[in-house]
């Protein structure tokens, strides 16, 4: 016997979510999540509609109350709160995902909103399955119009509430709904759907072309990168999907300049130097304390018994505890052929900035730099038989 899947149903009490709940109550094991935002006088009415339906159908009812404590865009804040609640329920009850009542009109409104804002998106309209906050979100009603879902509720005697805030043009989405979507015929909607599907097809082909172009790489020759026919999609794929066209134009302009560049965008870094362009994770500072001679692997280096002469150092008990951290501005090392800043060695050896940020340096208990791998060791710690090697 195949086990029924278990889902959370996001239910506001409107016709969309009540129809969703009724359609799937016998198909899956369901729990219902209702969020009361306390923004309308009828908010309690909607809560009671959902609560009553759940009680009559023996479905667990879970309620969250939104507290309007943060300043900012209510729609954005409410959305974040909503999906955090969903994620909490899915994780707590080990559910397969969340069913939400987005319908055809929502899909079309989203697309028209994207067009009006000239948004740079990874997908036009709404995806049937998607992942939000590491939770699977499923929209099974995208083929139904708002009117069809209302008719379903009326036909099946399902009580539902009307959100009065949707009747105004206070929000841009409402304005699009009233001025465009509600005036569309069934044929108009199908034609707009075809447009959306075509745009998503073109975008999917472009995404595939970019993935084939990248082939898992994060570093490219300057000419290879700049001649990519999908350079904006390439940048979005490597750095951040929701970068605006304006931001991308600024990045491309900087890349075309004669200067080396280093750009930090959220958790990614973009570098242009030595004829290459590289995108990598934003480097993080690190520091380890080594209390005795050991051979062990760390995230940015490993301590070994063997290595090259430029990776070796001779340490004694008087050197411990050792500190191994990433190189910082001003670090220097005294070697047999002189004292020089580590940054100068990096420049002389044409070591990329992306690597410099996490390059390790070893200091003894007095804070004296005694080894920088691939550059060499301190003059007082050199021998023909090193007892410790730090491999980058």
């Amino acid at each position: 016997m195949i086990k029924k899947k278990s889902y959370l149903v996001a239910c506001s009490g409107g016709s969309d979510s009540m129809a969703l709940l009724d359609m799937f109550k016998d198909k899956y094991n369901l729990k219902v999540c209702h969020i009361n935002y306390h923004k309308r006088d009828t908010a309690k009415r909607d809560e009671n509609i959902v609560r009553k339906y759940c009680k009559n159908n023996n479905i667990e009812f879970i309620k969250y109350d939104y507290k309007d404590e943060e300043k900012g865009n209510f729609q954005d804040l409410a959305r974040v709160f909503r999906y955090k609640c969903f994620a909490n329920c899915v994780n707590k009850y080990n559910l397969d995902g969340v069913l939400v009542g987005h319908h055809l009109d929502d899909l079309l409104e989203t697309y028209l909103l994207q067009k009006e804002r000239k948004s740079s998106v990874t997908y036009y309209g709404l995806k049937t399955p998607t992942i939000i906050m590491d939770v699977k979100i499923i929209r099974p009603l995208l083929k139904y119009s708002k009117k069809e879902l209302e008719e379903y509720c009326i036909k099946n005697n399902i009580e539902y509430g009307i959100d009065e805030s949707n009747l105004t043009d206070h929000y841009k989405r409402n304005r699009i709904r009233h001025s465009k979507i509600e005036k569309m015929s069934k044929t108009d909607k199908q034609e707009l759907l075809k447009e959306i599907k075509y745009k998503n097809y073109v975008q999917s082909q472009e995404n595939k072309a970019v993935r084939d172009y990248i082939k898992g790489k994060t570093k490219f020759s300057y000419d290879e990168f700049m001649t990519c026919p999908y350079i904006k999609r390439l940048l979005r794929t490597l750095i951040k999907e929701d970068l605006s066209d304006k931001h991308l134009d600024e990045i491309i302009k900087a890349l075309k300049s004669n200067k080396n560049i280093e750009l930090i965008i959220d958790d990614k870094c973009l570098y242009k130097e030595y004829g290459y362009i590289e995108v990598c994770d934003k480097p993080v500072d690190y520091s380890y304390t080594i209390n005795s001679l050991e051979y062990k692997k760390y995230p940015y280096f490993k301590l070994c018994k063997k290595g090259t002469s430029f990776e070796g150092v001779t340490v004694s008990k008087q050197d411990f505890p050792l500190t191994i951290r990433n190189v910082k501005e001003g670090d220097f090392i005294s070697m047999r052929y002189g004292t020089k800043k580590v940054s100068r060695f990096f420049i002389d050896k044409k070591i990329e900035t992306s690597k410099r940020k996490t390059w390790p340096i070893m200091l003894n208990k007095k804070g004296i730099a005694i080894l920088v791998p691939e550059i060499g060791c301190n003059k007082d710690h050199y021998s023909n038989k090193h007892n410790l090697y730090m491999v980058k």
Side-chain angles (χ1 to χ4, degrees), residues 76-251:
D76 292 339
L77 293 171
R79 183 181 183 279
V80 171
F81 177 81
R82 179 163 62 249
Y83 283 102
K84 279 184 178 178
C85 293
F86 297 162
N88 180 60
C89 289
V90 168
N91 294 326
K92 181 178 180 180
Y93 298 106
N94 194 28
L95 303 175
D96 293 297
V98 183
L99 304 181
V100 296
H102 293 139
H103 47 72
L104 175 61
D105 293 359
D106 290 322
L107 187 159
L108 299 177
E109 287 164 16
T110 299
Y111 172 63
L112 292 177
L113 198 58
Q114 289 167 338
K115 282 184 73 174
E116 187 172 305
R117 289 173 174 169
K118 297 181 180 178
S119 302
S120 300
V121 297
T122 56
Y123 191 85
Y124 292 100
L126 296 169
K127 281 186 177 180
T128 302
T130 190
I131 302 294
I132 300 176
M133 294 187 184
D134 294 326
V135 170
K136 188 174 184 179
I137 306 296
I138 302 170
R139 302 178 173 112
L141 303 183
L142 293 181
K143 64 181 180 181
Y144 298 100
S145 68
K146 173 79 171 177
K147 186 178 180 182
E148 287 171 328
L149 295 174
E150 288 176 347
E151 289 171 350
Y152 175 92
C153 288
I154 293 168
K155 181 181 177 181
N156 293 279
N157 296 314
I158 299 166
E159 185 181 2
Y160 66 90
I162 296 174
D163 184 345
E164 295 83 1
S165 66
N166 289 333
L167 303 177
T168 71
D169 284 343
H170 181 68
Y171 299 111
K172 189 174 284 188
R173 183 177 284 273
N174 288 4
R175 179 177 55 74
I176 288 175
R177 181 181 309 153
H178 300 146
S179 65
K180 295 181 180 180
I181 302 296
E182 290 176 359
K183 294 179 180 179
M184 283 184 176
S185 65
K186 209 166 189 177
T187 303
D188 293 333
K189 290 182 179 181
Q190 290 305 312
E191 286 300 313
L192 193 56
L193 260 185
K194 286 181 183 178
E195 181 181 320
I196 295 170
K197 286 179 180 178
Y198 176 72
K199 281 197 171 184
N200 281 324
Y201 170 75
V202 171
Q203 182 142 289
S204 69
Q205 293 300 106
E206 187 175 307
N207 287 338
K208 183 180 182 303
V210 167
R211 287 195 299 271
D212 291 342
Y213 191 86
I214 292 173
K215 292 180 181 176
K217 293 190 299 182
T218 58
K219 185 177 179 180
F220 308 82
S221 73
Y222 178 80
D223 291 338
E224 178 189 13
F225 195 95
M226 297 304 292
T227 55
C228 175
Y230 311 108
I231 189 167
K232 287 188 177 181
R233 171 51 52 196
L234 177 61
L235 285 165
R236 285 194 178 104
T237 303
L238 292 171
I239 303 174
K240 190 181 178 188
E241 285 289 358
D242 62 354
L243 287 173
S244 68
D245 281 338
K246 183 180 178 182
H247 196 170
L248 290 169
D249 288 335
E250 291 171 354
I251 293 172

Side-chain angles (χ1 to χ4, degrees), residues 183-330:
K183 294 179 180 179
M184 283 184 176
S185 65
K186 209 166 189 177
T187 303
D188 293 333
K189 290 182 179 181
Q190 290 305 312
E191 286 300 313
L192 193 56
L193 260 185
K194 286 181 183 178
E195 181 181 320
I196 295 170
K197 286 179 180 178
Y198 176 72
K199 281 197 171 184
N200 281 324
Y201 170 75
V202 171
Q203 182 142 289
S204 69
Q205 293 300 106
E206 187 175 307
N207 287 338
K208 183 180 182 303
V210 167
R211 287 195 299 271
D212 291 342
Y213 191 86
I214 292 173
K215 292 180 181 176
K217 293 190 299 182
T218 58
K219 185 177 179 180
F220 308 82
S221 73
Y222 178 80
D223 291 338
E224 178 189 13
F225 195 95
M226 297 304 292
T227 55
C228 175
Y230 311 108
I231 189 167
K232 287 188 177 181
R233 171 51 52 196
L234 177 61
L235 285 165
R236 285 194 178 104
T237 303
L238 292 171
I239 303 174
K240 190 181 178 188
E241 285 289 358
D242 62 354
L243 287 173
S244 68
D245 281 338
K246 183 180 178 182
H247 196 170
L248 290 169
D249 288 335
E250 291 171 354
I251 293 172
I252 293 168
K253 183 179 178 181
L255 290 173
K256 287 180 178 178
S257 71
N258 294 324
K259 298 178 181 178
N260 290 342
I261 65 168
E262 176 185 352
L263 296 176
I264 298 175
I265 304 166
D266 290 348
D267 60 348
K268 294 289 182 182
C269 285
L270 183 149
Y271 301 97
K272 176 198 143 191
E273 57 186 346
Y274 303 126
Y276 288 91
I277 291 173
E278 183 176 9
V279 176
C280 54
D281 292 335
K282 182 180 176 182
V284 293
D285 288 339
Y286 63 87
S287 180
Y288 298 96
T289 300
I290 313 297
N291 292 305
S292 60
L293 200 62
E294 64 172 39
Y295 306 105
K296 185 178 175 182
K297 187 175 182 180
Y298 291 85
Y300 296 101
F301 61 90
K302 55 184 177 179
L303 301 177
C304 309
K305 292 182 180 180
K306 294 181 179 180
T308 69
S309 59
F310 289 100
E311 296 169 327
V313 65
T314 302
V315 294
S316 62
K317 288 182 180 180
Q318 286 71 35
D319 288 309
F320 291 98
L322 303 174
T323 298
I324 302 176
R325 58 166 172 77
N326 53 305
V327 170
K328 297 186 183 298
E329 188 63 36

